[in-house]
Amino acid sequence: MEISRDHPRYRSLIVRERMSELVRQGVVAPTGLIAHGRGEAFDYMLGERTTETAAEAERAAAAFLLEAKRPVITINGNAAGLCGEGLLSLARAVPAKVEVNLFHRSPERVEKVIAYLEGLGGKDILGREQGSKLEGIASDRAMCCTEGIYSADVVLIPLEDGDRAAALERAGKTVLAIDLNPLSRTAAGSRVAVVDELTRAVPNIERAVRELRDRRDERKRLIMEFDNAENLRRSREEMCRALR
Ligand code: PTJ
């Protein structure tokens, strides 16, 4: 479809076109478009900008990633389609391992998402062989890589479903989520929930990683002081203010 650059929602329309094309290629799940629409609606309520509240969560997430011994970034179809390059760049900056972990899992789709990320320059992406299991979630969705998520201490989960986020918490991982829905179980159960749009959040976290790399005391302070419940309360408040 031809989209005019003058259209006030040009960027949103371009992203929607790309996501539908990635559904055709099998990278994004068909229901990924529904999740994307929900994200757009929440972002609209935030004013489609990074709030001060989100920026604080992004700095805290960066601090946790730098302090981690075995950090892992998980990528699903939506995250790959929206921000694959950004997530790979963040993983290199930390450095963190990358694992493809899908909600609608099939070996063919895992292969497609990994191949898509490799096409963007990704290397050593985990996910083909998932030999370990997270307790407390049903079927395939429990599977993860032994040398990736299973042995991670800190896991960054962009756009994750609530069950898996809770299972990661129960497994003793520090969970950092990126989720525009400040009411989601994922956001509520995480140590840090970044309520910001993925393509804004990821470069912001990477910038904070670079700033905090040589500032250990500042990282410790950010980690100690970050209160997820309070940060989420402020995100909800900002949405209410925008609606009023
Ligand atoms: O590729 P798969 O098979 O792993 O499937 C991926 C989806 C996203 C379909 C799957 O994980 C899913 O169903 O997720 P949920 O439970 O719908 O949750 C997605 C969350 O991400 C929702 O709370 C949305 O508000 C939020 N979200 C959607 N788009 C964005 C977003 N958050 C940040 N940035 C976005 N662009």
Side-chain angles (χ1 to χ4, degrees), residues 29 31-32 35-36 38-39 42 76-78 82 101-104 109 159-161 178-181 196-198:
T31 56
H36 180 68
R38 178 155 54 171
F42 277 112
N76 61 22
N78 279 50
L82 286 170
N101 200 281
L102 301 182
F103 184 82
H104 305 283
R109 248 195 97 220
L159 281 66
E160 185 58 278
D161 87 288
I178 301 173
D179 190 336
L180 274 161
N181 179 0
D196 199 2
E197 204 281 321
L198 190 65

